[in-house]
Amino acid sequence: MKKNLCIMLASLSLLSCAPGAEKEATAEFDYTVERFADLEVLRYQVTDFDELTLDQKKLVYYLQEAALYGRDILFDQNGKWNLALRQTLETIYTGYQGDRNTADWAAFETYIKQIWFANGMHHHYSSDKIMPAFSQEFFAEALKAADATKLPLREGETVEQFLSFITPIMFDPTVMPKRTNQADGEDVVKTSAGNYYDGVTQAEAEAFYAQMKAADPNKETPISYGLNSRLVKRDGKIYEEVYKQGGRYGQAIEKIVYWLEKAASVAENDQQRAVIEKLIEYYKSGDLKQFDEYAILWVNDLDSRVDFVNGFTESYGDPLGMKASWEAVVNFKNLKASHRTELISQNAQWFEQNSPTDARFKKENVTGVTAKVITAAILAGDCYPSTAIGINLPNSNWIRAAHGSKSVTIDNITDAYNQAAKGNGFNEEFVYSDVERKLLEEYGAITGGLHTDLHECLGHGSGKLLPGVDPDALKAHGSTLEEARADLFALYYIADAKLVELGIIPNAEAYKACYYQQMMNGLMTQLHRIEPGKDIEESHMRDRQLIAAWAYDLGKADNVIELAVRDGKRYVKINDYDKLRTIFGQQLAEIQRIKSEGDYEAGRQLVEKYAVKVDPELHKEVLERYEALNLAPYKGFVNPVYNAETDAEGNITAVTLDYTEGYAEQMLRYSEQYRTLPAYND
Ligand code: ZN
């Protein structure tokens, strides 16, 4: 769906091909927090917070409060018993008097950490129910021994009764097995445990919204139907419970509005103030027309340093793809990294002119896209603890077409992934020798970020079709070839003296890190994400293998790249980086020709020969070696703590950051400090 696919997918391959960016690595900063189940919790650094003015710091402070106050909303959206479950587990976790050294206790601790991470009882990524590994007997005893006044007991309910209510919710795999069910042929509304519908069938929900759309006179500028509500059926009547102040989740929204009002009082400029005020208006009315007005104001706010997302935004959690989960991110522009993308864009015409493609395929007037690079200051709702490394909003198609979108990459999060991955054994296992490891260590992050910038800001926008060529001529192979074209543009130019001249790459050697990463990933390591026996499907993965395997073939006669064998293991070894650049240039020229001429047959042959099939022996080897590293497949973050210092009159005089809070500590504090909703919301 909506979020910038290129960037989003990059986030899936962080370990092996991480876009990063310039930064001063702070050796003392501890990026790792803890590891449990299939998860790893990291910590990110809010780089350059000190650069902000006091008013900007206040703005960040107020906005992060507005962000954290929405937490309970997401728990309830993810499932109607999640808040009660969280309260139950936290009561046991904090008050347990029994032996904390048993296997049952360890399993309980893992379980509560998983529930926190998922913002509910279903896995954040797979949406499958998380099953406890402790016994029901252990749980029953722990519950009965807990402080009953802190349990979410309903009017007149005994602990025994509550136990029989909560036990199947936790332990029975057939009760609410999936948060978002998208299986064909099933009633996906009835069979999804997410709390976006209550008492309605899929057919009823679809009919409800079809009728609403048909009745809307604004066909050109449609609202995002159903975005901010739960659809319920009561006494035979179907209606929306709208998320707004005074409506569903009103208690949480009231708090959010309170802090947004404070934020508006220190807005950087009138445009930003208008954005915040419109959002408040919308939170009060629940009117989706106002939400669109807000989105348009937001997309046009390009001058403010501080920016934010706060609201019902992405609809991945709704099986019908209409209703949005609540999320928030507060961020500010990374001036140094944004300067880099501006420089690249300003020189777009030079890059176009000097590329190795045929003159007939070059654009006369090319304008680079400036991607904003941001520093995340807080992650919340559906962006916490697990988050994307890029944001591309708004989602409304007509607003994107008429007003554009904001596309940003979150630099300090990428950086935290990179830093945390150091020493995880991956490079030791897969990189050929210390020479390449040193290159990656020194330049991997810089060139990774630069590769992404060149790909996004220049690659996709370069070149032109010959007159009369159908833009869809490459059909099913179009997106693989398009990604390959953008990647090759980046690979060709990352080795260009122009980048050293512009001062955005430190020297003429640094590009080698990117080349090594590209070849290792494309020929070998990305295979760890493919199940045994499967082909490569995803277009970015196809693109990477296409480039690598084809380059390998083109350089064979000169032994440019080899798969060296040592102790029975294979390693990528690049013998001639200069020649490899020439090969990338050749490939770029050919892919551009295929695109410009719409040569479907040539494109199909390349994709089928190089991009799809996997060498089963090599695949098996990569999977085994990767498995042995025991890396966590999913990662998330704890937030820093923002402290506001005030004078005698209560005016904020300074905002400081504290990074010492642990994972459980933070979750428990959030549950206490930012609790806004009752355990049951029906
Ligand atoms: Zn792309």
Side-chain angles (χ1 to χ4, degrees), residues 429-430 432 524 563-572 615-619 621 625:
E429 179 58 41
F430 288 106
Y432 180 65
M524 285 186 66
L563 273 180
V565 182
R566 200 174 52 217
D567 303 331
K569 293 175 175 181
R570 276 171 280 195
Y571 298 86
V572 171
D615 170 356
E617 279 304 304
L618 182 63
H619 190 196
E621 181 187 326
R625 287 164 68 183

Side-chain angles (χ1 to χ4, degrees), residues 6 455-456 460 483 486 540:
C6 262
H455 175 118
E456 301 289 351
H460 281 304
E483 291 310 325
H540 292 77

